[in-house]
Amino acid sequence: AQKITQTQPGMFVQEKEAVTLDCTYDTSDPSYGLFWYKQPSSGEMIFLIYQGSYDQQNATEGRYSLNFQKARKSANLVISASQLGDSAMYFCAMREGQSNYQLIWGAGTKLIIKP
Amino acid sequence: DVKVTQSSRYLVKRTGEKVFLECVQDMDHENMFWYRQDPGLGLRLIYFSYDVKMKEKGDIPEGYSVSREKKERFSLILESASTNQTSMYLCASSPYLAGLGSREQYFGPGTRLTVT
């Protein structure tokens, strides 16, 4: 079974609009961490934001915020005021508490910002 | 800033050749990882290392081996390259994590390997 599911293979969004990228996860471990990465066409994976399973507040980093709904096992990335430079692949990943090392990755969402 | 470098951005090899992909990080991280990335499949872990000379298999280790003789360097070896190993290879590093916290992995620019 998929542990990380990103249901949107691709999205088009108008510049300056907010965009939500979906991520659902599956784990029975009470301790886990959720990550979002951006991969521009250059190829390098760039860390955006992190949410721990015990964090009380939703994580925010500048224009990025994570809409964490624990009961629904969802960790959606919200980008406010999208910019052309936000066009990229976006990946959701999870680290389960038992493993210090491995991240489990979703298949990604290709986001294209239209001018 | 953490810097992870990979020896080549693009590489073309012939079937049956031995291929070395090198990765170097400059932040004294304990953990290093090799992934391959294929469209629609996300990132799949090949091997990781949590210390010098220590390695663990990831999800798809078949056809690959690794070497970590120095803390900053982690090499991926394709003993006999095959066309189904044509892919993007990403190296990453992260510090050791004593508890559960935000310890993101830092990635290199990737090597796009084509095996003909």
Side-chain angles (χ1 to χ4, degrees), chain A residues 7-75:
Chain A
T7 56
Q8 308 148 310
M11 285 185 73
F12 287 90
V13 171
Q14 200 69 39
E15 190 180 7
K16 297 188 177 65
E17 288 184 355
V19 56
T20 297
L21 304 180
D22 296 340
C23 174
T24 57
Y25 59 93
D26 182 25
T27 182
S28 56
D29 198 313
S31 293
Y32 54 89
L34 296 156
F35 301 78
W36 276 94
Y37 283 81
K38 172 184 177 181
Q39 187 180 38
S41 56
S42 57
E44 188 166 347
M45 297 286 280
I46 301 165
F47 167 71
L48 294 178
I49 197 166
Y50 168 83
Q51 179 84 43
S53 60
Y54 294 122
D55 292 346
Q56 297 297 314
Q57 307 276 351
N58 283 352
T60 60
E61 288 286 348
R63 292 187 300 113
Y64 304 108
S65 60
L66 202 152
N67 183 4
F68 182 45
Q69 298 187 40
K70 199 169 181 176
R72 296 181 60 188
K73 294 190 173 179
S74 106

Side-chain angles (χ1 to χ4, degrees), chain B residues 2-105:
Chain B
V2 176
K3 196 163 178 68
V4 181
T5 56
Q6 295 183 228
S7 49
S8 306
R9 289 301 302 270
Y10 300 94
L11 208 53
V12 179
K13 295 291 183 181
R14 293 190 181 277
T15 302
E17 278 193 85
K18 191 168 186 175
V19 182
F20 293 87
L21 302 182
E22 298 264 295
C23 175
V24 178
Q25 50 96 3
D26 67 358
M27 280 302 290
D28 203 36
H29 284 170
E30 290 78 13
N31 304 328
M32 296 188 75
F33 307 82
W34 274 107
Y35 294 93
R36 68 175 280 175
Q37 182 181 21
D38 301 288
L41 297 178
L43 273 69
R44 293 181 291 167
L45 182 65
I46 304 171
Y47 269 96
F48 67 95
S49 168
Y50 51 89
D51 202 349
V52 174
K53 296 191 186 296
M54 306 304 288
K55 61 186 179 186
E56 291 282 343
K57 292 180 181 178
D59 300 317
I60 51 164
E62 297 78 19
Y64 303 95
S65 62
V66 289
S67 170
R68 194 167 180 201
E69 297 296 318
K70 293 185 178 182
K71 192 174 186 179
E72 68 271 18
R73 190 179 297 269
F74 192 34
S75 301
L76 180 70
I77 303 149
L78 288 67
E79 295 289 342
S80 178
S82 64
T83 54
N84 63 13
Q85 293 178 309
T86 291
S87 187
M88 168 74 99
Y89 290 87
L90 292 167
C91 175
S93 73
S94 73
Y96 171 70
L97 178 66
L100 188 65
S102 176
R103 288 295 182 264
E104 64 272 17
Q105 295 179 10

